[in-house]
Amino acid sequence: MKLGLLGDGQLGWMLAEAAQRLGIEVRLWSAAGTGTAVRLCPDHVVAPLDYAPAEAAGGPSAFDAFCSGLDVVTYELEHLSLGLVEALAKRVPVHPAPAVLALAQDRWLEKAALAAAGLEVAPHAPCADRKTLEEALRSVGYRALLKTRRDGYDGKGQWRLDSPEDFERLLGAEDAGHFRWPASGCVLERRLRFDRELSLVLTRDASGAFAAHPWTENRHEHGILYTSRAPVALPKAAAEETEARLKDWLDSHRYVGTLALECFEVDGRLVANEIAPRVHNSGHWTLDGARTSQFENHIRAVCGLGLGSAEARGLAAMVNVVGVPANPELLARIPGARLYDYAKAPRARRKLAHINLCADADAALTSALAALEALVPPPEPAQ
Ligand code: ATP
Ligand code: MG
């Protein structure tokens, strides 16, 4: 079996490894031919991820070279051309389906889909200029985040507002050329006072079977994930209801693959923030802490191999290495710490690696995590 994988970053690297362990050949679509996954995949085409197949009509193209002989296609990121994914779907089965990708690419459509699925979302409104932002502020309030509708990740494309002065400062920056409204507009979202951030990473296959990993608690610093920990205790009814509604929604889309739902816990309620139709950073702990990792289950789902158990093996945590490389000699002093190095050049706020920890008891995990946090600094604020 041959799998086509769009994207060559660390998620692609961990997906390719899981596929190869299952005896599946992988062909990569790499934007620059240099990403983390390329080292595992000599079979790759190099072409932009915003590639428009029509542009290459008439000659041999990266598109044709990529499609040839593939059984199925998947992707590691949602910031790629929907047109490319739709064109591929005419030639080869693509999972998850382009229709769900389209929702996840646009925060406004995404929030509407989550609300329609019966999940609570933060009060929000679309805006695309001064007038519509003023209207949005009236319904959402000034304690808010202005987020671009498209292309945001790791807190990029977000502006924090607290007061009418912040609003004036932001729009003043527009006059000075420092802030520019994106062509597709923004969503203004109320900034919630949440107790915790949580995520649910689960996989659905074509037969309708699910494998849901335990809920994960996540700590972000300056919009970037710093640590995750699982399994965690949750308000039971809220967790069950959220999971059931999400599964119904995935059934209605005949979703195939892994998906993550990010939530805020607010006074015992779970408020949905966003979905990622792919494997997710908050599921990296499953490489060591679950019977089957999110990567293996995603590959199993898209290749029709049947899902593995998503049960936890014990307690696990993950720390992201962001901006500054980790020192392997210091890490070696923390028993059981496993480094996954993405072989990327260090850059401010760039995810370079992650480290997994497993333990049998809560106290042991807490102390190992504290030791690790002392070695690996949290993400720095954006400049
Ligand atoms: P990701 O890397 O997860 O794709 P993103 O850039 O798409 O991130 P969000 O997940 O929406 O953006 O926001 C990043 C972080 O900012 C959240 O994990 C959370 O810490 C904070 N945040 C986002 N929305 C809200 C909100 N409505 N209220 C409070 N905090 C929020
Ligand atoms: Mg997020």
Side-chain angles (χ1 to χ4, degrees):
M1 177 167 241
K2 194 174 258 189
L3 168 74
L5 177 55
L6 300 166
D8 64 7
Q10 62 266 23
L11 300 181
W13 172 55
M14 292 181 271
L15 284 168
E17 191 188 38
Q20 289 168 356
R21 276 181 205 271
L22 290 165
I24 294 161
E25 290 176 66
V26 179
R27 176 178 299 143
L28 210 62
W29 182 300
S30 164
T34 54
T36 308
V38 173
R39 57 182 153 151
L40 272 186
C41 303
D43 183 3
H44 59 266
V45 301
V46 179
L49 284 158
D50 59 0
Y51 186 89
E55 284 170 13
S61 66
F63 183 81
D64 291 322
F66 183 72
C67 287
S68 160
L70 291 184
D71 297 293
V72 63
V73 166
T74 191
Y75 43 90
E76 62 134 23
L77 74 177
E78 60 267 43
H79 301 306
L80 76 176
S81 145
L82 185 63
L84 169 61
V85 178
E86 285 171 337
L88 284 167
K90 291 193 181 128
R91 296 268 287 266
V92 187
V94 176
H95 300 303
V100 178
L101 176 64
L103 296 176
Q105 286 183 333
D106 183 322
R107 276 187 204 283
W108 173 243
L109 301 180
E110 182 183 38
K111 296 256 185 240
L114 292 171
L119 299 169
E120 181 179 345
V121 294
H124 63 282
C127 48
D129 52 27
R130 172 180 277 270
K131 183 168 170 291
T132 46
L133 176 56
E134 277 172 357
E135 281 163 20
L137 283 163
R138 275 197 284 278
S139 64
V140 170
Y142 276 94
R143 194 187 140 83
L145 281 168
L146 181 66
K147 300 182 181 179
T148 56
R149 271 176 73 160
R150 304 181 66 88
D151 300 327
Y153 67 97
D154 287 348
K156 279 188 197 152
Q158 295 194 13
W159 297 269
R160 193 184 150 118
L161 300 175
D162 272 299
S163 62
E165 292 74 39
D166 286 344
F167 161 74
E168 288 304 337
R169 212 172 292 132
L170 184 70
L171 294 188
E174 181 189 19
D175 295 339
H178 299 309
F179 172 79
R180 218 188 295 152
W181 285 97
S184 51
C186 290
V187 173
L188 185 78
E189 197 176 303
R190 183 171 301 166
R191 227 168 67 239
L192 302 175
R193 293 174 208 277
F194 55 79
D195 301 310
R196 290 190 290 179
E197 289 195 67
L198 299 156
S199 59
L200 177 63
V201 175
L202 79 181
T203 309
R204 182 184 185 276
D205 75 7
S207 76
F210 281 97
H213 283 104
W215 283 83
T216 302
E217 181 175 335
N218 303 307
R219 246 179 69 208
H220 291 77
E221 292 287 344
H222 306 294
I224 298 185
L225 182 65
Y226 178 36
T227 65
S228 296
R229 189 174 174 139
V232 284
L234 250 68
K236 199 165 177 287
E240 284 175 0
E241 195 175 306
T242 300
E243 187 169 330
R245 289 186 175 176
L246 181 63
K247 285 178 170 173
D248 286 347
W249 186 76
L250 294 170
D251 281 336
S252 73
H253 284 278
R254 296 203 187 85
Y255 189 90
V256 174
T258 295
L259 175 135
L261 172 71
E262 298 176 10
C263 291
F264 302 114
E265 183 182 341
V266 182
D267 299 332
R269 305 187 325 276
L270 292 175
V271 180
N273 177 31
E274 58 176 359
I275 49 165
R278 54 169 170 78
V279 289
H280 193 255
N281 196 168
S282 71
H284 287 6
W285 65 266
T286 63
L287 283 167
D288 296 292
R291 299 208 179 278
T292 312
S293 76
Q294 61 164 349
F295 303 98
E296 178 174 339
N297 261 350
H298 182 74
I299 298 294
R300 286 179 163 278
V302 303
C303 296
L305 301 176
L307 302 180
S309 162
E311 211 182 305
R313 289 175 187 275
L315 304 173
M318 185 231 48
V319 176
N320 265 342
V321 178
V322 182
V324 186
N327 179 335
E329 279 161 33
L330 295 178
L331 282 182
R333 294 187 200 159
I334 300 178
R338 288 198 60 185
L339 174 70
Y340 294 81
D341 188 341
Y342 310 153
K344 289 183 355 193
R347 200 167 64 208
R349 289 173 61 80
R350 189 179 207 196
K351 290 176 183 168
L352 303 176
H354 73 268
I355 300 156
N356 281 351
L357 285 172
C358 294
D360 296 327
D362 215 49
L365 189 68
T366 300
S367 72
L369 187 54
L372 198 48
E373 285 178 17
L375 293 183
V376 179
E380 291 184 339
Q383 289 308 312

